[in-house]
Amino acid sequence: MADRDSTSVTTALPVDVAPADMRRRDIDAKQNLIAQLLHDSQCEGLLVLHPANFRWLSSGANPVGLCGRDEAPALYFNPSQRWLLASSVDSQRLFAEELDGLGFQLKEWHWTASREQMLGDLVFGRKVACDQPFRECKSTGMFFAVERRKMSPYEADRLADLGQIVAHAIEATARNLEWGDTEEEIAGHVAHRLMRHGADAVAVQVSGDGRGRAFRRRGYRPERVEKWCVIQATGRKTGLHATAARTVYHGPPDESWRPEFELALRQRVIHLAAPKPGDRVATTIEAGKTLLRPTAYEHDWRAAPPISLTGREPSEGMFLPAAQDRWTLNWAVVFQERVGAVAVVDSYLMAESGWRLLTPPTDWPIRRAVSLGHVFELPDVLARSK
């Protein structure tokens, strides 16, 4: 299906290759964090096994291909140096395409040998910390859960680049889908557009003709879309994730769901206007619940979490209604306001100047809202005559 528009994705920096010196500075800053961790834990080295931590500490390196847990690359740090630990199948590509010039050395095992044995030899006789249980290594505790949540300036810019790609993929698909296409076909077009811009389609949801009312999290089915649908996608690039959703309908809106969309938009405005750094996240959730309380959708907040963090994983953790967490600068957040059959979903960054929309609409209807002195531009519903 060919696009009927020429909308393109533009970014302040090249999408394909970020400046190497910026990425190097980002990795060096994380090396300093590791040095402090090793000092505090009285360890001489850190072994990194978790894929999200691998992406974080390499500022975006991404293993590819058929790679099982016993083949996955890892990282090792001492206070001043860092190593890639990789199979001979992956090491050359990782350095050529991902890590060249970024200060990593290499420890390699041949694919016919054992990763487990090499890692065991590396930590033997040393006091080593690890981000996952391994041999006698010391646990890193909450270090990664806390530090990985905060986006560095480099990561925030890369996330904004990705957010544009994700929003464009969804919006172009919505503008060009053929009524009567199946949810599966529509999901395929979204994934295709993400891949054309170098992003992985981590998750795609297509809920046609109100089918999102039954399941808040659903993928895509062979059912045809005739009247309207919600398209949601999570993309990954440079080891980061961004999520968004858009709603498109054919002909006059069905009054059975349009009020639900209006209510979800109002809930988004309340979520964005309420918090500032240091406030409890639970207060924001409560504000959204208060909006729903006098409506027929009083209990919809129970069906799915409205707020989660994002970053090196699609969800770095969702917040419970009684969470004691407090809003922190440079958190990347996915707001997912779901009311009835609709979903209003976008990724944001909590910046010094306020919420920065990471998945902005382009060539798409916008609803402008004002609350508590803040002006928010939100994606509206796209009405298509054909």
Side-chain angles (χ1 to χ4, degrees), residues 151 159 241-242 308-316 332-334 347:
M151 297 292 105
L159 197 52
H241 298 81
S308 62
L309 293 173
T310 192
R312 295 298 175 183
E313 291 193 287
S315 173
E316 292 279 6
V333 179
V334 180
S347 300

Side-chain angles (χ1 to χ4, degrees), residues 97-319:
E97 298 181 356
E98 306 269 11
L99 298 175
D100 186 40
L102 298 178
F104 286 91
Q105 302 173 66
L106 175 65
K107 293 182 183 292
E108 180 184 81
W109 73 89
H110 194 269
W111 73 266
T112 58
S114 167
R115 172 184 185 260
E116 178 83 7
Q117 184 61 53
M118 197 202 84
L119 298 182
D121 291 344
L122 178 65
V123 304
F124 181 75
R126 293 187 172 98
K127 193 170 183 180
V128 175
C130 187
D131 63 341
Q132 290 186 337
F134 183 76
R135 301 284 177 96
E136 303 300 319
C137 292
K138 185 174 182 178
S139 170
T140 56
M142 291 295 293
F143 173 81
F144 285 98
V146 173
E147 294 297 335
R148 206 176 67 210
R149 290 178 168 188
K150 295 178 283 189
M151 297 292 105
S152 67
Y154 171 82
E155 290 171 321
D157 287 344
R158 301 287 74 71
L159 197 52
D161 293 343
L162 172 61
Q164 291 186 53
I165 293 172
V166 171
H168 169 76
I170 298 169
E171 292 169 5
T173 299
R175 287 192 300 268
N176 292 281
L177 66 84
E178 299 288 344
W179 299 109
D181 284 349
T182 66
E183 292 179 350
E184 292 170 336
E185 290 170 326
I186 295 169
H189 291 304
V190 174
H192 168 68
R193 286 183 167 93
L194 288 171
M195 293 173 69
R196 282 180 59 190
H197 289 96
D200 297 323
V202 176
V204 180
Q205 297 179 223
V206 181
S207 298
D209 300 327
R211 287 184 280 271
R213 193 180 304 278
F215 303 109
R216 294 302 193 267
R217 288 179 181 158
R218 63 189 304 273
Y220 39 86
R221 301 278 296 166
E223 286 90 345
R224 297 191 179 279
V225 177
E226 303 291 351
K227 296 293 185 181
W228 67 283
C229 74
V230 180
I231 306 172
Q232 178 172 327
T234 300
R236 179 173 65 209
K237 189 171 184 179
T238 61
L240 292 161
H241 298 81
T243 301
R246 299 290 186 264
T247 300
V248 57
Y249 71 83
H250 182 206
D254 183 344
E255 289 306 314
S256 69
W257 65 265
R258 182 70 201 207
E260 296 172 350
F261 187 86
E262 298 296 323
L263 191 55
L265 275 185
R266 289 175 59 196
Q267 193 178 34
R268 165 67 59 79
V269 173
I270 286 175
H271 284 159
L272 292 176
K276 51 185 187 297
D279 290 347
R280 290 177 62 232
V281 177
T283 304
T284 304
I285 297 175
E286 184 61 35
K289 290 165 54 180
T290 301
L291 172 69
L292 297 179
R293 196 164 291 141
T295 74
Y297 305 95
E298 176 183 2
H299 300 292
D300 268 39
W301 68 271
R302 299 178 184 277
I307 306 170
S308 62
L309 293 173
T310 192
R312 295 298 175 183
E313 291 193 287
S315 173
E316 292 279 6
M318 58 94 175
F319 295 107

Side-chain angles (χ1 to χ4, degrees), residues 276-277 328-331 349-356 374:
K276 51 185 187 297
T328 302
L329 282 174
N330 301 317
W331 272 4
L349 182 80
M350 177 165 264
E352 291 276 4
S353 57
W355 287 110
R356 176 184 178 186
H374 301 283

Side-chain angles (χ1 to χ4, degrees), residues 1-22:
M1 179 173 62
D3 286 359
R4 292 197 293 265
D5 62 84
S6 58
T7 303
S8 60
V9 178
T10 58
T11 56
L13 293 167
V15 174
D16 293 332
V17 181
D21 58 339
M22 291 180 61

